[in-house]
Amino acid sequence: MKVAIVQKVVPLYREEFFSQLSEKVDLTVFLYEEAKGGDVTHSDSIRMRHIRNIAFRNIRYVSLFTLLFGGFDTLVLELHQGHISTWLLLLTRFIHRKKIILWGQGISVKRYCKEEKKANMSLKLMIKMSNGCWIYMPKEKDQWQKIYPKKAFVALGNTISGIKGMLNYESNKSQEELKNKYDIKEDIVFIYCARFNTLNRRTDLLEEVITQLGTNKYGFIIIGDGQYKPDFSKYPNVYDFGRVYDNEIKEELFSISDAYFQPAWLGLSIVEAMARGNSVLTFKRTESLMHGVELDYIKNGYNGLLFEDLYDAVAKISSLSKADLSRMGDNAKKYIKENATMDKMVNNAVSLLMKL
């Protein structure tokens, strides 16, 4: 089976997925943007080619000639209503006879509350014309399956490269020894690990929680930089590490932490935190508090907590014991082991390829 996948780039967090998929099918990944910087892969284990394309804002056209005459049986295209070439391939499927899988979240993060009630009409039409879909998470897959009960869907179970190492990591130092190493004094420590590249992270709520919890019992580890990063130097119980490139340091900081806390705009950081034994604390999704589809990994009270508002957050955090956090952290790691390994994600993807 010869498969072509069209992607913007291959980010490092997706490298293992494409590498393992390449072992199971004859795969070529066509990139419509140049892979630059340290956040994208240049792995030799993935056959990557640039594809000619034209773009204007959110509208994009990629070379149909490359996809139609490259000897591919199956095309995996992004589930994106602005990709004109995808529309053309879908409309002419009865001529070229290629199997087309659409790959995406299946819903807009920014319009989630609206689209979970009424599906986007453009996506609805695209999916109707496709052979099947790779949808990142089960909740959105189930939503589309209800609309098209006979359509071939699979929920990939979105995860990240390196997940096995995170699940298996064990520090040779105790939590107290690591706290002493990094001069962290508070009894309960939360960690935040994400770029400050959008106001949708709602760092205003992060600062409010830090302020209202006080400085005696609770500490906060911050990993990440960006243009919207607050000045954390005014908080004596906040330990700002900026960007962390050393994975061993990152593992140790997560080992110190009792839970992961990010108010909004959560995505795959949920998987990273849970795999490292941290439950995830955040606010429920609303029109002004947005999250990625990975929010569904959080089972309230089992492997994390979903807060109604700031008052609820402070009250519930204040009531948590170390034992509560340890229990939820153990559950978080167990949940990722059972639901979000890379082997599972790849096998889910292959299952739909073989079904078609």
Side-chain angles (χ1 to χ4, degrees), residues 179-316:
K179 280 186 175 182
N180 290 333
K181 177 179 178 178
Y182 292 98
D183 197 27
I184 295 174
K185 304 175 180 65
E186 289 75 22
D187 182 40
I188 293 178
V189 180
F190 301 111
I191 190 168
Y192 171 105
C193 181
R195 293 174 181 171
F196 295 90
N197 56 354
T198 170
L199 293 174
N200 292 323
R201 301 276 187 207
R202 292 303 302 269
T203 54
D204 57 320
L205 290 173
L206 174 61
E207 288 195 89
E208 280 289 347
V209 170
I210 291 170
T211 301
Q212 293 198 29
L213 286 176
T215 61
N216 295 326
K217 184 178 180 181
Y218 302 100
F220 291 82
I221 291 171
I222 304 294
I223 299 175
D225 273 327
Q227 61 179 318
Y228 299 111
K229 183 174 183 176
D231 177 12
F232 290 111
S233 63
K234 58 189 173 183
Y235 304 107
N237 60 330
V238 175
Y239 305 88
D240 185 1
F241 289 85
R243 288 188 180 183
V244 176
Y245 295 99
D246 188 318
N247 193 60
E248 183 65 23
I249 293 174
K250 197 172 185 181
E251 292 284 9
E252 289 185 341
L253 294 177
F254 271 92
S255 296
I256 288 170
S257 306
D258 297 288
Y260 184 87
F261 176 60
Q262 184 179 323
W265 209 248
L266 271 164
L268 282 167
S269 50
I270 290 174
V271 177
E272 182 177 12
M274 286 186 172
R276 289 179 161 130
N278 283 244
S279 58
V280 179
L281 315 183
T282 191
F283 289 84
K284 289 183 177 179
R285 180 190 280 117
T286 65
E287 290 185 1
S288 61
L289 285 164
M290 293 171 280
H291 292 289
V293 293
E294 294 81 10
L295 184 72
D296 199 45
Y297 279 137
I298 303 174
K299 306 306 174 187
N300 196 23
Y302 175 72
N303 57 18
L305 290 175
L306 299 169
F307 306 125
E308 295 284 349
D309 50 33
L310 182 61
Y311 176 84
D312 185 46
V314 173
K316 285 181 178 173

Side-chain angles (χ1 to χ4, degrees), residues 56-98:
F56 177 72
R57 297 184 179 175
N58 289 327
I59 307 300
R60 185 175 299 274
Y61 170 86
V62 304
S63 171
L64 296 185
F65 183 88
T66 303
L67 299 174
L68 290 175
F69 300 103
F72 301 107
D73 308 297
T74 304
L75 308 177
V76 180
L77 310 173
E78 291 175 298
L79 181 55
H80 190 304
Q81 59 189 334
H83 285 200
I84 296 173
S85 45
T86 301
W87 283 105
L88 292 173
L89 286 166
L90 288 168
L91 287 166
T92 58
R93 189 164 62 85
F94 71 99
I95 300 173
H96 58 70
R97 301 293 181 180
K98 305 286 184 185

Side-chain angles (χ1 to χ4, degrees), residues 5-20:
I5 297 180
V6 178
Q7 288 276 288
K8 180 179 180 180
V9 293
V10 176
L12 285 176
Y13 65 80
R14 196 66 75 208
E15 179 180 335
E16 281 187 22
F17 174 77
F18 287 111
S19 181
Q20 289 188 32

